[in-house]
């Protein structure tokens, strides 16, 4: 079974310009995902899909293979699913078929090799996609609301007999720690939840997803913390 890891990194980041190559803990953000992929048992090759020459140069410096992505697949509105398909078809056109697709977004630098290995091992015959989740700080059954333009508000999930947070069903936030699927599923479906999805729980300290400078500072804090299990 051949397992390929992919890091999808656009050059045109709006929330935090240049974030994918912004230094974090002494190396570019992108390099954290590349390094974890290279250290994870079972991963055979590591690729970076990007539209940016600067990102491509960093990827090559860290011994990842670059797949240059068309500009139309690297906009704010481009579904990353299409970038996944582009990477798969690019390799297949080169005669390089593989068994398992692993996406390790650059925005999740605190994952561990164990997190990734757990996800790969969870892709069994009854599962189409493996995602990662972390315990949510708020619950749609208790303290999450929707509101209209006039401010009228109601619970996202109403009707449940929930009077305390402890009474609410346990809910999780999806994270960007890892996604695992078979190439055939990605090429024949349009989204993750088109298939049978299984999740792996990752602790919150390893599930930071960097979108803006506040997330970046939080990741720096965890990296600098002496008791952080990632260090």
């Amino acid at each position: 079974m051949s397992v390929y890891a992919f890091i999808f990194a656009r050059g045109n980041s709006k929330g935090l310009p240049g974030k994918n190559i912004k230094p974090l803990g002494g190396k570019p953000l992108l390099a954290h995902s590349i390094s974890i992929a290279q250290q994870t048992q079972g991963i055979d090759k590591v690729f970076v899909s990007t539209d940016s020459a600067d990102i491509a140069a960093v990827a090559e410096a860290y011994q990842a293979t670059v797949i240059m992505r068309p500009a139309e697949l690297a906009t704010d509105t481009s579904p990353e699913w299409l970038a996944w398909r582009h990477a798969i078809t690019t390799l297949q056109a080169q005669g390089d078929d593989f068994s398992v697709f692993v996406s390790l977004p650059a925005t999740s630098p605190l994952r561990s090799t164990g997190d990734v290995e757990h996800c790969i091992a969870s892709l069994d015959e009854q599962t189409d996609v493996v995602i990662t989740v972390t315990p949510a700080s708020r619950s749609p059954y208790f303290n999450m609301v929707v509101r209209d333009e006039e401010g009228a508000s109601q619970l996202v999930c109403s009707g449940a007999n929930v009077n305390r947070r402890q009474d609410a069903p346990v809910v999780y936030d999806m994270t960007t720690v890892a996604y695992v699927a078979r190439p055939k599923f990605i090429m024949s479906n349009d989204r993750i939840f088109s298939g049978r999805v299984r999740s792996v729980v990752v602790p919150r300290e390893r599930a930071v997803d960097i979108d803006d400078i506040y997330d970046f500072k939080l990741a720096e804090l965890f990296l600098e913390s002496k008791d952080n299990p990632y260090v």
Side-chain angles (χ1 to χ4, degrees):
M1 183 177 69
S2 52
V3 180
Y4 289 3
F6 299 83
I7 297 107
F8 295 87
R10 297 188 301 114
N12 187 25
S13 173
K14 295 292 179 62
L16 182 59
K19 71 178 177 183
N20 286 312
I21 55 176
K22 184 177 175 66
L24 174 68
K27 62 184 179 182
L29 178 62
L30 172 69
H32 290 270
S33 293
I34 294 174
S35 297
I36 285 294
Q38 292 167 337
Q39 296 167 32
T40 297
Q41 291 187 2
I43 290 180
D44 301 296
K45 295 183 181 180
V46 182
F47 300 86
V48 171
S49 166
T50 186
D51 62 316
S52 164
D54 291 337
I55 291 175
V58 170
E60 290 174 344
Y62 282 87
Q63 288 78 55
T65 301
V66 173
I67 298 175
M68 293 307 298
R69 191 191 327 176
E72 61 268 23
L73 296 182
T75 69
D76 286 341
T77 58
S78 302
E80 187 160 300
W81 193 265
L82 298 182
W84 289 11
R85 285 184 172 182
H86 173 263
I88 293 168
T89 56
T90 297
L91 294 182
Q92 289 178 341
Q94 299 170 2
D96 194 353
D97 287 321
F98 58 101
S99 307
V100 176
F101 170 101
V102 180
S103 172
L104 301 176
T107 55
S108 188
L110 304 184
R111 65 171 69 82
S112 69
T113 55
D115 295 328
V116 182
E117 289 165 2
H118 190 179
C119 290
I120 294 171
S122 297
L123 187 69
D124 56 26
E125 292 302 319
Q126 287 72 48
T127 305
D128 294 310
V129 184
V130 177
I131 63 172
T132 49
V133 298
T134 198
S137 59
R138 293 191 174 273
S139 169
Y141 295 93
F142 184 68
N143 57 6
M144 291 184 68
V145 302
V146 291
R147 63 192 301 274
D148 63 20
E149 293 180 355
E150 296 179 354
S153 305
Q154 62 181 2
L155 283 171
V156 174
C157 296
S158 60
N161 186 23
V162 176
N163 298 310
R164 304 176 304 155
R165 180 177 174 81
Q166 294 90 329
D167 299 328
V170 178
V171 294
Y172 297 86
D173 290 325
M174 282 185 64
T175 79
T176 58
V177 169
Y179 302 89
V180 181
R182 295 180 183 84
K184 183 178 180 180
F185 175 80
I186 296 170
M187 297 305 298
S188 58
N189 291 274
D190 295 324
R191 59 190 181 92
I192 288 173
F193 286 96
S194 295
R196 297 160 295 183
V197 179
R198 186 174 182 181
S199 63
V200 169
V201 179
V202 176
R204 293 178 67 184
E205 67 269 16
R206 295 205 303 273
V208 175
D209 180 20
I210 297 176
D211 183 56
D212 55 29
I213 190 62
Y214 303 103
D215 302 325
F216 196 90
K217 292 297 183 182
L218 181 60
E220 285 184 323
L221 181 64
F222 276 123
L223 277 176
E224 293 169 359
S225 174
K226 291 183 179 179
D227 60 358
N228 176 28
Y230 176 82
V231 177

